[in-house]
């Protein structure tokens, strides 16, 4: 049984001026104990919304419809606030892009960690100041920050240190799953690599399962076991990360791979494909990537491709249908 399992999850935003914006569409994914999975796709394709849905952090105007999310075999959608607090202990944590936003500007690091520990402790087990100090020191050590940082306020820390503090806060409740949403995007390249290394080491040592969300394929492929590619709110491909570097893939994955390793990846608009991401307020007729896809056939504009088993994972593409290509001829270099 997977640790985290999402089936047919749909999320829309209620927009005042228009219809609903369907940011996540029919997403099914599962995460095994200790697995490290990446989620990639251009900005606006629904990655963060999915991260919020999985961690039960969606707030209006976002609405989850249909589908089911289970953690350790138990349904976690629609939990009462009390149950939700219990679920956060040993459950799922979320680390956001900007450490600063997750941190309380008027609390020092030790107090912030204390706040989290107190808020989620059972009534009979309220931690003492000494226990908080000890645990906070331990957590800082895990994220490779010196103990002096305990007394610092967020504005006194660099971007990298803030992001490490945000990770320490997420670790405080010993989650079994952590969703990292663009954890290094706001950092410069060297700091980014160091923080990613810490995340990877923590994941290996603490054995939590992780979902690493990024617009940058090179961030995800370097760290993860499996990579999920999203386009227009849907999963279009899901494969072992090691297989992404070669062979045939979804045409959108192949386009992302052409930007691989380019430090401008966040600004690249997939220059070799004309057009822009789909309007998420419209129902999709056919494949939402078809208007930008050089390989699109007629069927791609009329019928929605469903995820089906492909190579070692899953794929949603008519032009890569089983039987048209087989693994033997798929090893052309991108
Ligand atoms: N609060 C909101 N209200 C309305 N639309 C939103 C809101 N947040 C996100 N969206 C829309 O949902 C879609 C997916 O956004 P998001 O999940 O942030 O994508 P990503 O993380 O991949 O950049 C985008 O079209 C975005 O404009
Ligand atoms: Mg995002």
């Amino acid at each position: 049984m997977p640790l985290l399992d999402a089936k047919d999850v749909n999320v829309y935003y209620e927009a005042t001026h228009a219809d609903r914006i369907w940011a996540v569409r029919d997403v099914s994914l599962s995460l095994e104990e200790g697995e490290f999975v990446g989620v990639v796709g251009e900005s606006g394709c629904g990655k963060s919304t999915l991260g919020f849905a999985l961690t039960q952090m969606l707030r209006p105007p976002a609405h989850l419809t249909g589908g089911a999310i289970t953690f350790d075999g138990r349904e976690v959608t629609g939990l009462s606030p009390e149950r939700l607090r219990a679920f956060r202990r040993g459950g799922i944590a979320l680390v956001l892009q900007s450490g600063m936003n997750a941190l309380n500007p008027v609390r020092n690091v030790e107090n912030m960690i204390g706040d989290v520990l107190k808020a989620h402790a059972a009534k009979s087990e309220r931690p003492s100041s000494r226990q908080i100090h000890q645990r906070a020191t331990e957590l800082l050590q895990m994220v490779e920050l010196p103990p002096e940082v305990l007394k610092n306020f967020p504005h006194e820390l660099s971007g990298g240190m803030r992001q490490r503090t945000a990770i320490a806060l997420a670790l405080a409740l010993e989650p079994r799953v952590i969703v990292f949403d663009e954890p290094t995007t706001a950092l410069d390249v060297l700091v980014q690599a160091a923080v990613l290394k810490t995340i990877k080491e923590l994941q290996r040592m603490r054995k939590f399962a992780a979902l690493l969300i990024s617009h940058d394929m090179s961030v995800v492929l370097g760290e993860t076991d499996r990579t999920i590619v999203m386009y227009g709110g849907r999963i279009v491909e899901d494969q072992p990360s090691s297989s992404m570097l070669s062979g045939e893939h979804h045409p959108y994955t192949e386009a992302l791979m052409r930007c691989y390793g380019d430090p401008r990846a966040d600004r690249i608009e997939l220059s070799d494909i004309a057009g822009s991401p789909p309007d998420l307020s419209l129902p999709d007729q056919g494949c939402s990537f078809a208007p930008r896809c050089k390989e699109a056939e007629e069927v791609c504009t009329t019928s929605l491709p469903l995820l089906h088993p492909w190579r070692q994972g899953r794929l949603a593409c008519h032009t890569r249908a089983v039987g048209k290509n087989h693994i033997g001829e798929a090893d052309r270099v991108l």
Side-chain angles (χ1 to χ4, degrees):
M1 187 179 62
L3 182 56
L4 177 68
D5 194 43
K7 279 218 164 49
D8 293 324
V9 170
N10 285 273
V11 181
Y12 68 85
Y13 290 95
E14 196 82 68
T16 46
H17 58 284
D19 293 329
R20 294 169 172 182
I21 296 163
W22 290 91
V24 171
R25 303 176 180 215
D26 304 330
V27 165
S28 295
L29 63 86
S30 56
L31 206 58
E32 302 291 336
E33 196 108 33
E35 199 181 12
F36 200 171
V37 173
V39 177
V40 285
E42 279 165 294
S43 167
C45 73
K47 305 182 295 299
S48 294
T49 306
L50 176 62
F52 283 123
L54 295 176
T55 51
Q56 303 305 303
M57 302 275 276
L58 286 175
R59 299 287 175 269
H63 300 272
L64 183 95
T65 66
I69 301 171
T70 57
F71 176 75
D72 210 9
R74 268 169 301 177
E75 171 92 43
V76 293
T77 39
L79 292 179
S80 65
E82 198 165 318
R83 287 252 168 118
L84 199 57
R85 254 199 311 279
F87 163 70
R88 300 256 174 261
R89 286 198 304 270
I92 310 188
L94 178 65
V95 174
L96 297 171
Q97 167 170 347
S98 166
M100 193 65 181
N101 295 345
L103 307 181
N104 185 337
V106 297
R107 303 284 279 161
N108 71 26
V109 171
E110 179 166 345
N111 289 337
M112 266 187 279
I113 293 175
D115 292 344
V116 172
L117 295 175
K118 282 189 267 188
H120 294 84
K123 276 208 176 74
S124 55
E125 295 167 7
R126 281 288 155 97
S128 67
S129 311
R130 221 178 108 238
Q131 285 168 323
I132 289 172
H133 180 76
Q134 204 167 4
R135 180 78 175 127
T137 309
E138 206 176 274
L139 286 164
L140 285 198
Q141 204 169 12
M142 280 185 216
V143 296
E144 296 166 56
L145 286 176
E148 299 83 78
V149 169
L150 285 177
K151 300 294 166 222
N152 285 142
F153 289 84
H155 71 266
E156 297 172 315
L157 302 173
S158 69
M161 291 168 105
R162 281 203 292 267
Q163 198 54 302
R164 285 174 189 273
T165 304
I167 296 169
L169 283 170
L171 289 170
L173 300 172
E174 299 189 44
R176 290 165 72 194
V177 177
I178 304 185
V179 176
F180 295 94
D181 188 2
E182 308 266 5
T184 59
T185 299
L187 308 174
D188 71 51
V189 177
L190 288 180
V191 181
Q192 179 168 345
V195 172
L196 278 175
K197 188 161 161 271
T198 301
I199 290 175
K200 181 70 191 177
E201 277 168 14
L202 282 168
Q203 191 266 335
R204 208 180 303 127
M205 287 174 56
R206 319 291 310 171
K207 300 193 183 357
F208 52 82
L211 209 61
L212 174 62
I213 296 174
S214 177
H215 63 274
D216 184 347
M217 188 67 116
S218 56
V219 163
V220 165
L221 285 194
E223 309 299 329
T224 58
D225 306 317
R226 192 149 65 85
T227 297
I228 288 172
V229 181
M230 282 184 79
Y231 187 79
R234 293 182 185 277
I235 294 179
V236 296
E237 185 162 10
D238 175 359
Q239 297 289 346
S241 300
S242 56
S243 77
M244 285 289 179
L245 288 162
S246 66
E248 193 161 42
H249 292 279
H250 192 285
Y252 178 63
T253 309
E254 293 180 5
L256 286 180
M257 289 304 295
R258 284 192 283 272
C259 312
Y260 178 83
D262 191 318
R264 297 168 303 140
D266 58 338
R267 268 167 283 136
I268 281 184
E269 291 191 358
L270 301 179
S271 49
D272 59 336
I273 343 174
S276 49
D279 181 345
L280 297 177
S281 65
L282 302 173
D284 32 23
Q285 276 184 332
C287 174
S288 54
F289 188 59
R292 302 170 78 185
C293 182
K294 286 197 191 100
E295 297 173 58
E297 298 167 9
E298 196 180 334
V299 61
C300 305
T301 59
T302 56
S303 137
L304 182 70
L306 299 177
L307 270 176
H308 58 261
W310 165 259
R311 296 182 66 181
Q312 295 145 277
R314 303 180 291 167
L315 179 90
C317 176
H318 293 301
T319 72
R320 301 282 187 272
V322 178
K324 275 196 168 180
N325 299 285
H326 56 79
I327 295 169
E329 62 187 30
D331 285 319
R332 95 189 136 78
V333 176
L334 289 168

